[in-house]
Amino acid sequence: MGVRLAGKIIVITGGGGGIGGVTAVTAAAEGAKAVVLADVSAAALAPVAERVDSAGSEALPVVVDLGTPAGCAELVERAQAAHGRVDVLVHTAAVPNAPTGFLSLPDTAWAGEVALTLNASFHLGRGFGRVMAANGGGVLLYTGSIATMGAGRGLAGYTATKTGLLGLVRAMAVELAPHGIRVNMVSPGAVDTPRYRLRITSDTEMRRLREHFPVAPLGRMATPQDVADAFAFLASDAASYITGHNLVVDGGTTAQVKTPDD
């Protein structure tokens, strides 16, 4: 690790989760001055906050429900009150919905995806965007998916909201550029996280997929660290001329075309 994020104030939603937690520790190792960790679970945040502090950064755990506009506003207010500015937002919070067929999809599952993936992205982007604009700029980063390029069965709400998020990211990138704010998205393929494990029927199958993942040409699933490293790059000054971009981290999954012999 280096110091690509030296001195930066970084907010990470889903900070107690697989991708969010690893991204938080990576940010601290890259020199972040402070990391604000948001999640609905205090228990999930506690060990991540300890690792962030141990890495030399200052952790601020915030227990909040980002599925509501009030929760998003609370996070913006608390981060600004604690540090006076915010340099980077990384929105990784996700709804732990198991795959469900479209005709059986409950209203609550659809609404949850819309609230946390799409609505929260808007409220957090607008809220932190205002803070960043007042302080000379910043970076807004979002978690997308290769579902923006093609639907998977049982993932209608997830696919629709991630696709909508890509449009929002591009719109924000264009409008916020004059304020010195860059907006980008990282779109992973399959990542070894608790959410992906909801799709797998047994621990044996999960272990097999970790050892050999034929869907991706690189032959393995992504780790949370793979995604965290992408976020760290986009948050850094090394990506200072990149905005409105969807960085795909999928081991080549979407680059391949199946043939009848495959």
Side-chain angles (χ1 to χ4, degrees), residues 174-218:
V174 171
E175 292 207 33
L176 298 180
H179 299 284
I181 300 171
R182 295 188 293 107
V183 189
N184 291 297
M185 187 163 85
V186 173
S187 285
V191 186
D192 188 358
T193 62
R195 175 166 181 149
Y196 188 83
R197 289 169 211 154
L198 291 173
R199 309 180 193 182
I200 307 304
T201 56
S202 70
D203 291 341
T204 300
E205 176 67 5
M206 194 66 226
R207 285 194 296 271
R208 187 186 69 80
L209 289 174
R210 289 188 182 118
E211 295 169 0
H212 177 59
F213 190 68
V215 176
L218 288 183

Side-chain angles (χ1 to χ4, degrees), residues 73 75 114 127 199 216 230 235 238 242:
L75 178 59
V114 172
R199 309 180 193 182
I242 300 174

Side-chain angles (χ1 to χ4, degrees), residues 76-100:
V76 173
E77 291 167 6
R78 291 189 61 178
Q80 185 177 25
H83 299 290
R85 74 177 203 274
V86 171
D87 299 303
V88 180
L89 165 71
V90 184
H91 183 36
T92 77
V95 182
N97 286 337
T100 305

